[in-house]
């Protein structure tokens, strides 16, 4: 499947933007993983797709380096103001729905797909957690941050904007393909 077909498929799923992913420029950084360990989002050690359960940074690097092509996608939402939490959550929900939908379609063509999403995995209403086994390991989706990736850098290296202005919010994810 060519890049134009992939972009079209992403746009048909509802993403605002889709671009070829610059896999060669993907950099996995320890400082991003350290932010995960600070547990600001509350998922560190609680979600099977988040650190430390998603693997060490070196294990994540090994996974990523097996890929040479991919696509980066974004959902850009409108906000009433910088405190529009409802607008942020609506855009995030829409992004995740589109992301899971496209992941399922791409798995048909790319069984070795590595999807890296925005935020923690929400495939299950309640994660099995640190003691349990993931109920859907082939569908589990780690976030870009869980893999140590600075999203703004990934956007820049893939010729995609990261910031769209004060009354906009962008959620970014990618699919690594082989």
């Amino acid at each position: 499947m060519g890049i134009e077909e992939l972009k079209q498929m992403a746009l048909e799923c509802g993403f605002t933007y889709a671009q070829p992913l610059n896999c060669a420029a993907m950099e996995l950084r320890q400082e991003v993983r350290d932010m995960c360990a600070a547990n600001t989002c509350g998922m560190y050690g609680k979600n099977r797709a988040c650190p430390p359960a998603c693997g060490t940074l070196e294990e994540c690097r090994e996974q990523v380096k097996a890929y040479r092509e991919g696509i980066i996608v974004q959902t850009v939402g409108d906000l009433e103001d910088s405190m529009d939490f409802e607008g942020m959550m609506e855009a995030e929900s829409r992004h995740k729905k589109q992301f899971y939908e496209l992941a399922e379609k791409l798995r048909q063509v790319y069984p070795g797909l590595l999807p890296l999403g925005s935020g923690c995995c929400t495939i299950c209403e309640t994660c099995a957690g640190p003691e349990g086994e993931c109920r859907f390991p082939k569908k589990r989706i780690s976030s870009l941050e869980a893999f140590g990736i600075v999203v703004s850098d990934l956007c820049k290296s893939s010729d995609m904007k990261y910031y769209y202005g004060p009354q906009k919010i962008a959620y970014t994810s990618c699919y690594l393909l082989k």
Side-chain angles (χ1 to χ4, degrees):
M1 184 175 289
I3 192 64
E4 290 307 317
E5 290 173 285
L6 289 168
K7 286 170 60 174
Q8 187 59 39
M9 187 184 285
L11 297 174
E12 287 171 2
C13 282
F15 290 106
T16 311
Y17 300 108
Q19 283 284 105
L21 177 67
N22 184 349
C23 294
M26 290 182 80
E27 189 176 342
L28 283 64
R29 298 184 180 176
Q30 185 60 49
E31 57 266 28
V32 178
R33 286 300 289 271
D34 292 344
M35 287 188 275
C36 283
N39 202 24
T40 307
C41 73
M43 289 294 130
Y44 186 85
K46 293 181 181 160
N47 189 298
R48 301 299 304 165
C50 292
C54 68
T56 66
L57 193 59
E58 194 50 47
E59 289 168 334
C60 292
R61 274 192 192 101
E62 286 300 311
Q63 284 183 60
V64 168
K65 79 178 188 182
Y67 295 86
R68 300 279 181 255
E69 65 178 326
I71 186 168
I72 183 170
V73 294
Q74 273 184 342
T75 301
V76 179
D78 294 313
L79 303 176
E80 290 181 20
D81 56 42
S82 63
M83 303 304 283
D84 183 6
F85 186 72
E86 190 175 296
M88 292 175 201
M89 294 298 94
E90 186 279 325
E92 179 187 34
S93 175
R94 191 165 30 102
H95 181 78
K96 282 194 174 217
K97 180 181 176 291
Q98 295 161 175
F99 187 73
Y100 292 144
E101 179 184 331
L102 185 56
E104 287 307 307
K105 288 179 179 182
L106 290 174
R107 279 190 179 99
Q108 304 303 310
V109 182
Y110 300 97
L113 172 76
L114 176 59
L116 296 175
S118 176
C120 71
C121 184
T122 55
I123 296 288
C124 300
E125 193 170 315
T126 304
C127 184
E131 302 85 29
E133 289 297 316
C134 179
R135 293 181 284 275
F136 302 101
K138 291 183 192 280
K139 291 185 176 186
R140 179 178 55 222
I141 296 174
S142 291
S143 70
L144 289 163
E145 293 86 358
F147 267 58
I149 297 168
V150 177
V151 178
S152 59
D153 290 352
L154 186 66
C155 289
K156 184 178 181 179
S157 71
S158 297
D159 295 321
M160 181 175 275
K161 285 175 71 172
Y162 175 74
Y163 180 69
Y164 293 87
Q167 292 187 284
K168 301 279 188 189
I169 188 157
Y171 290 93
T172 305
S173 300
C174 72
Y175 304 92
L176 297 167
L177 311 167
K178 68 173 172 180

